[in-house]
Amino acid sequence: MTHLLQMGAFAKDALVLDSFAGSGSTAHALLKLNRSDGGHRRFILCETMDYAQTLTAERVRRVMAGYGDRDKEKAGLGGGFDFYTVGEPIFLPDENLNETVGTDAIRAYVAYSEGIPSGDQTTAENPHSPYLLGLNRETAWIFHYEPDRATRLDMEFLSGLRFGADTGASKPGTVIIYADRCLLSAAFMAKHGIIFKKIPRDITRF
């Protein structure tokens, strides 16, 4: 592995991503290479198997600190790293949302998947709607989601949105609205620049 990294001509300050970390051989090789040429290469290891902490991370710890006994002792290569887990998945195997992750995490995922610029993202505490995810002059993104009930995109919901007047923002030309059901006609939505997106979850339980 060290030979392969040398062949790749990685700069001494390179950041190397290994998306299938396995036993951690990439990290081991990078640390060894850093020791040999005084480099400061860093690494990101990703591993989905349940041995990520007990095998992958443990190997990296031992390589850094040193391991073995007496005549078989291996000196540590130095360095440091942090180990993180990503928590529960956003989607279940049936491709529905995993609602146990909580509303904030789901909102953050939808904002990311829609590509809403960070400067345009909003919290639930805004003057337009508690369901608003983001807003700029061209587009509003609305996530009409409730954990314990199915939601509908209808005239009643639209009447509760606040754009213009004392909010300081006029209605944008495009409004993207997530909900469980849509009761508006295609013609009405086209006329008013509304795009409906169905929330991917099992609503038969409501």
Side-chain angles (χ1 to χ4, degrees):
M1 179 61 77
T2 303
H3 179 63
L4 290 175
L5 292 173
Q6 289 172 328
M7 288 176 61
F10 289 103
K12 290 187 177 182
D13 61 350
L15 175 62
V16 178
L17 171 65
D18 185 350
S19 300
F20 303 93
S23 65
S25 57
T26 296
H28 192 163
L30 276 174
L31 292 168
K32 189 174 180 181
L33 191 57
N34 283 343
R35 172 58 65 90
S36 68
D37 66 5
H40 298 282
R41 300 171 188 86
R42 296 168 297 152
F43 55 84
I44 298 174
L45 307 182
C46 302
E47 182 53 62
T48 61
M49 302 302 289
D50 56 8
Y51 55 69
Q53 183 166 7
T54 58
L55 175 63
T56 313
E58 184 60 25
R59 176 181 179 178
V60 178
R61 292 188 187 99
R62 293 185 180 215
V63 167
M64 289 178 174
Y67 60 94
D69 298 318
R70 297 179 182 176
D71 57 330
K72 295 183 179 180
E73 184 176 357
K74 295 287 186 180
L77 298 176
F81 82 108
D82 295 309
F83 179 84
Y84 298 97
T85 58
V86 297
E88 292 294 318
I90 289 291
F91 285 95
L92 300 170
D94 61 6
E95 299 185 354
N96 284 326
L97 284 172
N98 179 8
E99 298 185 76
T100 63
V101 302
T103 302
D104 289 343
I106 295 174
R107 280 176 59 94
Y109 169 78
V110 175
Y112 167 78
S113 65
E114 286 288 346
I116 304 175
S118 59
D120 295 336
Q121 294 182 24
T122 66
T123 65
E125 290 75 33
N126 67 82
H128 309 288
S129 169
Y131 303 106
L132 187 70
L133 287 178
L135 177 67
N136 57 35
R137 291 182 179 179
E138 294 80 29
T139 309
W141 294 267
I142 298 171
F143 187 54
H144 186 20
Y145 167 81
E146 293 288 349
D148 55 355
R149 68 179 179 90
T151 59
R152 302 184 303 180
L153 171 52
D154 54 17
M155 294 303 296
E156 181 181 359
F157 176 73
L158 290 181
S159 67
L161 301 179
R162 298 287 182 265
F163 294 106
D166 58 352
T167 65
S170 59
K171 177 183 174 298
T174 300
V175 181
I176 299 172
I177 303 179
Y178 282 80
D180 292 303
R181 296 189 179 99
C182 180
L183 302 184
L184 303 177
S185 70
F188 178 88
M189 290 193 293
K191 179 180 179 181
H192 295 280
I194 299 171
I195 298 173
F196 167 70
K197 294 190 176 183
K198 188 180 187 315
I199 297 174
R201 62 171 173 166
D202 178 13
I203 62 173
T204 61
R205 60 190 175 87
F206 296 115

